[in-house]
Amino acid sequence: MSMSSGAEQPHQTKDSQLPGTELGALQGDVWLTIQTYQAQGLIRGRRAADGKPAIIGLIGFADRLKSLWHAIRFDDPYADWWLLKVEEGIADIRAQLGGLQQRMAALMATPSSSLEFVVAQSSRPQRVSLQFANPYAFRAAQLLGEYDQLMCADRTLRHLGIEMPTDLVEQVAGSGRWVRRIFALPLGYHCLDICRQDIRQQTPMAIRARERMGDLPDDILRGERLPALRPVVYRQIEGSARQAGDGA
């Protein structure tokens, strides 16, 4: 995994400019450990076959995020909008999974005779190396890990015969669909090589974008509501450079 920062580099001293003293890119390893078949099936998803629709997994989700991340660099407001949907969607589902996990933990903590137990774990978990290009793919991996933990708690409660409220059973059963819905979000975005100026001028491509992806919210267009994490926008940098040159 290669890590880079958009922050300004510190002032270099004379010694730091000597040959052979340049710093390399930051590197590190990231792994996701999966315990259950339910979560394992959402790593790569499923291809459409035998009348069954395709399921987008974590890997496919991360791959589709690349086009969003790249389009934001060229000031595509629709890419900002979709990435914001991803950001808010992941946060919402993680909060819901956390609430279910708390309810299950409370059930397991309820005194019941002298029974002692730990949450079930796989005897052979799957360890997946993650090499993603942007932070939202890693947030999605955390989401999948939390879903996996929820499934472990669910299997433990069922195995021990601990009764769960009906609404909790139903929500846990549907939680996999929540995760799949997040992974499918990038499918609604279409890269049409447009920028904010196209939207303001209502170019033919901007009209096509509206037909395919809907009316862009004004606060997204104005840049007042944006994803918390986004790459540097090249076109804004180029525009600033041109203005500086004109004023020289």
Side-chain angles (χ1 to χ4, degrees), residues 106-125:
L107 289 174
M108 288 188 281
T110 301
S112 56
S113 67
S114 59
L115 187 65
E116 294 182 7
F117 61 90
V118 295
V119 175
Q121 300 285 304
S122 173
S123 60
R124 192 171 58 185

Side-chain angles (χ1 to χ4, degrees), residues 125-188:
Q126 181 177 5
R127 195 162 179 257
V128 183
S129 175
L130 303 180
Q131 299 180 5
F132 296 148
N134 69 77
Y136 289 102
F138 288 105
R139 286 190 180 183
Q142 290 179 296
L143 173 67
L144 182 57
E146 287 159 12
Y147 169 69
D148 185 50
Q149 293 170 12
L150 185 70
M151 292 297 100
C152 287
D154 179 56
R155 298 310 302 172
T156 301
L157 289 172
R158 291 176 180 275
H159 180 70
L160 297 174
I162 298 177
E163 187 175 357
M164 292 189 289
T166 302
D167 69 311
L168 179 58
V169 172
E170 292 174 349
Q171 289 180 61
V172 170
S175 60
R177 292 193 295 273
W178 303 347
V179 178
R180 293 198 299 269
R181 189 161 60 243
I182 296 300
F183 289 172
L185 267 177
L187 295 177

